[in-house]
Amino acid sequence: MSQLSGRRLYYTINAVAGLAIFFFGYDQGMMGGVNTAPDYVRVMKLGYSTYEGPSEGWVATITEPTRQGGIVSIYYFGTLIGCLIGGILGDRLGRIRTMVLGSLWVLVGAALQCSAQNMAWMLCARVVNGIGTGHLNAIVPVWSAEVATHTSRGAFIAMEFTLNIFGVVVAYWLEFGLGFVADGNTQVRWRFPIAFQILPVLAFMACLPMMPESPRWLVKMGRDDEARAILGRLRSEDGTAEAPQAVMEYEDIVSAVGLEKENSGRNSYISMFFGRNDGGLHIARRVQLSVWLQIVQEWVGIAAITVYAPTIFAQAGYGPRKSQWLSGLNDITYMLSTLVAVLTIDRLGRRIGLWWGAVGQGISLILAGAFSRLLKDNPEKASQYGGAAALFVFMYTFIFGATWLTIPWVYPTETFPLEVRAKGNAFGVFGWSIGNGWLTLLNPVMFSRIGENTLHVFGAINFLSIPLVWAFYPETANRTLEEMDYLFQSDSPFVWDEEEHFRKWKEENEKNREVNRIASRKADMVESPDSKEE
């Protein structure tokens, strides 16, 4: 693939990165079906199974929900460790090598999981798998952001997240189909789906050696000639390093690297978190924005809907098989909604996407909770109230896929300086791991204690997120990665002050560029033979 350039190279990188993101979605979606497999429940001692006839097959009943939740949530402990390791390696070894190492961790973890014979074995395997996933989550979006153009960076990553949810869809329907084999009471029902994740990871690893390294990381490491060659391939159809767009971008990267290296003492996670020696670049502020955006992403309700949607479908009078069909259809709607993000994330910007997403999600959750309450109080009207609750479940999922799914993953890849960008994105994955692990354990307790009012709690959090985004999260769409340092140089954390500081810098920078252009033209006129003859 060394001869590819321009759009062909651009889309090839997008597809290869998409393999890793597909695996990520598949890996998350897979455990939903594994947890309901009767043989898995028996091996892990989570409960018992009963035969419900030819139409339903074997159905598992969980008597140890804490053990079940522990197996699922310990994976996020692994991703938390993996993202921190991946952030360090990504900045030191490069994006490509770190992704290869993460893939190796995943392969080992997947092999251990699909061969697990008891709970202790499974717990260790989940941690190993999580470490590999953390590596990939920390680096793949960064690699994508660093090769993309500033006007299509969001769409570039959003297209990968379409494959992410496609992974969820594949996991769901694969496990649904295996539920019909021997009435669902076989080892294949859960061991094969776990093993299946190895295939996209192997394909990803096979492609990586042919992929270009991030030009920004190469400049940081002093490998300028390689960086210029790769930028030429990315920004021009003929692959020339002298293409105007490639030259201008290279100069901006060099300038940003020079600014950042003046304060190299901020490289450690601790220095970043507390903002030590950051030379006024306010790294700690960016860390907080990344961590909390990912935590809030989980608290706007997606984990609750994932858990509660089958219950709503069942209470509406649908049988287990039909509830499964509806859950699978909801996943397909989820996948299609990510295409809206591809079209809007750069055009409307990150802030507007988070705003309208929060409003739509909040309304959907509150109404889904209200109709669920009516469904409980009026079982004779199950078809009407249950159908309405199911509609708002679908609506919530669609809006989340179009907005809050993608934007919190894009934002940390854009806001950090090149020198610590991999570590910066690792902080985002750190927040995602905390939010996911926390709610994986908390959701069952909330639904057990307050039932459908859980949806009202998450609905309210959506509306609370609106002033948070308005006040503290500046727009990053259609700005180059190198411009972010100047956006966050404002001493005030409020968006309006940051935007004013950026506007002044932009005006000054344009004046300087114009002065340099005029000086360059005058120098050319003095040196030209025609001017000497005159």
Side-chain angles (χ1 to χ4, degrees):
M1 298 182 188
S2 59
Q3 70 274 17
L4 292 181
S5 61
R7 289 184 176 274
R8 288 185 300 169
L9 177 60
Y10 200 68
Y11 291 133
T12 300
I13 293 172
N14 198 209
V16 171
L19 286 172
I21 303 297
F22 169 85
F23 149 75
F24 170 38
Y26 179 89
D27 198 40
Q28 277 199 295
M30 169 196 73
M31 284 307 292
V34 168
N35 278 331
T36 61
D39 186 73
Y40 173 81
V41 170
R42 177 188 62 79
V43 171
M44 301 300 158
K45 296 181 171 57
L46 303 178
Y48 63 91
S49 303
T50 54
Y51 184 64
E52 302 292 335
S55 63
E56 305 297 339
W58 286 87
V59 177
T61 300
I62 304 300
T63 58
E64 299 288 343
T66 303
R67 287 166 66 95
Q68 183 192 50
I71 292 173
V72 175
S73 62
I74 201 169
Y75 168 82
Y76 298 106
F77 175 68
T79 62
L80 190 150
I81 296 172
C83 73
L84 296 178
I85 298 172
I88 294 171
L89 296 178
D91 283 330
R92 290 183 182 175
L93 302 180
R95 314 320 189 202
I96 299 295
R97 289 179 182 174
T98 304
M99 289 187 287
V100 171
L101 290 174
S103 300
L104 290 173
W105 276 96
V106 168
L107 293 178
V108 174
L112 289 173
Q113 279 188 92
C114 69
S115 59
Q117 300 298 319
N118 52 58
M119 183 176 174
W121 186 331
M122 191 66 173
L123 288 171
C124 291
R126 293 280 292 165
V127 171
V128 172
N129 204 15
I131 290 172
T133 306
H135 271 70
L136 297 179
N137 286 351
I139 302 303
V140 174
V142 169
W143 181 52
S144 299
E146 290 183 336
V147 299
T149 64
H150 69 281
T151 55
S152 62
R153 189 170 55 236
F156 193 85
I157 298 176
M159 282 189 284
E160 294 168 6
F161 273 86
T162 300
L163 289 173
N164 175 265
I165 307 305
F166 180 59
V168 175
V169 171
V170 170
Y172 185 89
W173 287 106
L174 175 63
E175 291 169 329
F176 180 79
L178 291 172
F180 290 92
V181 178
D183 289 326
N185 193 21
T186 64
Q187 293 189 42
V188 175
R189 182 172 176 179
W190 66 276
R191 293 193 190 273
F192 179 77
I194 293 175
F196 184 82
Q197 66 185 291
I198 293 173
L199 295 179
V201 176
L202 285 176
F204 178 64
M205 289 183 69
C207 294
L208 280 178
M210 297 177 280
M211 291 294 101
E213 181 57 88
S214 161
R216 287 173 165 83
W217 181 81
L218 290 171
V219 171
K220 186 184 90 166
M221 302 306 290
R223 295 158 62 177
D224 290 27
D225 290 342
E226 294 175 65
R228 293 189 67 173
I230 291 172
L231 277 171
R233 291 174 58 200
L234 287 168
R235 303 295 180 248
S236 65
E237 294 301 325
D238 58 3
T240 176
E242 302 306 319
Q245 187 178 352
V247 171
M248 184 178 294
E249 190 168 346
Y250 170 76
E251 290 173 351
D252 287 342
I253 295 170
V254 170
S255 176
V257 169
L259 172 68
E260 293 164 11
K261 282 190 175 178
E262 292 173 5
N263 303 283
S264 58
R266 63 169 184 271
N267 279 348
S268 71
Y269 283 119
I270 292 176
S271 294
M272 292 174 67
F273 188 82
F274 290 104
R276 296 175 183 170
N277 306 312
D278 68 1
L281 294 178
H282 300 109
I283 306 300
R285 184 192 306 167
R286 308 189 211 192
V287 168
Q288 294 297 326
L289 292 177
S290 298
V291 170
W292 283 104
L293 188 60
Q294 286 279 26
I295 291 175
V296 173
Q297 183 200 41
E298 299 307 314
W299 277 90
V300 295
I302 187 60
I305 283 294
T306 302
V307 169
Y308 201 55
T311 301
I312 291 176
F313 298 148
Q315 288 176 346
Y318 305 119
R321 291 288 190 203
K322 194 165 186 179
S323 295
Q324 289 176 326
W325 274 98
L326 285 170
S327 295
L329 184 59
N330 189 37
D331 285 341
I332 293 174
T333 303
Y334 192 11
M335 179 186 71
L336 294 175
S337 70
T338 62
L339 298 175
V340 177
V342 173
L343 297 174
T344 60
I345 191 169
D346 290 317
R347 289 180 174 86
L348 299 181
R350 321 306 187 227
R351 285 162 60 84
I352 291 178
L354 293 174
W355 286 337
W356 83 261
V359 171
Q361 290 163 188
I363 292 172
S364 298
L365 285 172
I366 289 171
L367 291 176
F371 281 110
S372 294
R373 178 75 259 174
L374 289 170
L375 177 61
K376 278 186 179 179
D377 295 341
N378 303 277
E380 73 281 0
K381 296 183 178 180
S383 59
Q384 296 100 308
Y385 292 141
L391 171 65
F392 287 110
V393 167
F394 273 70
M395 184 179 294
Y396 172 88
T397 307
F398 186 90
I399 295 171
F400 181 85
T403 55
W404 276 81
L405 168 69
T406 303
I407 295 172
W409 284 99
V410 172
Y411 206 84
T413 68
E414 302 176 304
T415 51
F416 285 95
L418 169 60
E419 185 188 344
V420 291
R421 187 165 293 137
K423 292 191 189 76
N425 192 52
F427 271 112
V429 182
F430 183 88
W432 172 82
S433 301
I434 291 173
N436 247 310
W438 187 2
L439 284 175
T440 300
L441 292 173
L442 187 59
N443 265 324
V445 176
M446 292 179 70
F447 280 114
S448 173
R449 297 290 178 86
I450 61 176
E452 67 286 339
N453 288 324
T454 304
L455 300 182
H456 294 148
V457 171
F458 290 124
I461 291 173
N462 273 277
F463 290 108
L464 291 174
S465 73
I466 295 173
L468 178 71
V469 172
W470 172 73
F472 298 110
Y473 286 84
E475 185 59 72
T476 57
N478 299 308
R479 287 170 171 164
T480 69
L481 297 176
E482 287 65 47
E483 289 176 334
M484 298 303 166
D485 284 340
Y486 300 100
L487 179 64
F488 285 100
Q489 272 188 329
S490 168
D491 290 330
S492 170
F494 295 107
V495 167
W496 45 90
D497 292 325
E498 291 173 328
E499 291 290 352
E500 178 63 18
H501 181 276
F502 182 80
R503 184 187 63 77
K504 290 179 179 177
W505 168 82
K506 192 80 171 176
E507 289 176 356
E508 187 65 29
N509 189 52
E510 287 300 322
K511 287 178 184 177
N512 291 337
R513 281 184 184 271
E514 186 59 32
V515 168
N516 290 336
R517 285 194 206 101
I518 293 171
S520 178
R521 287 196 201 104
K522 287 182 177 178
D524 290 341
M525 290 174 65
V526 169
E527 293 175 5
S528 67
D530 292 341
S531 109
K532 287 179 182 178
E533 288 174 8
E534 291 171 8

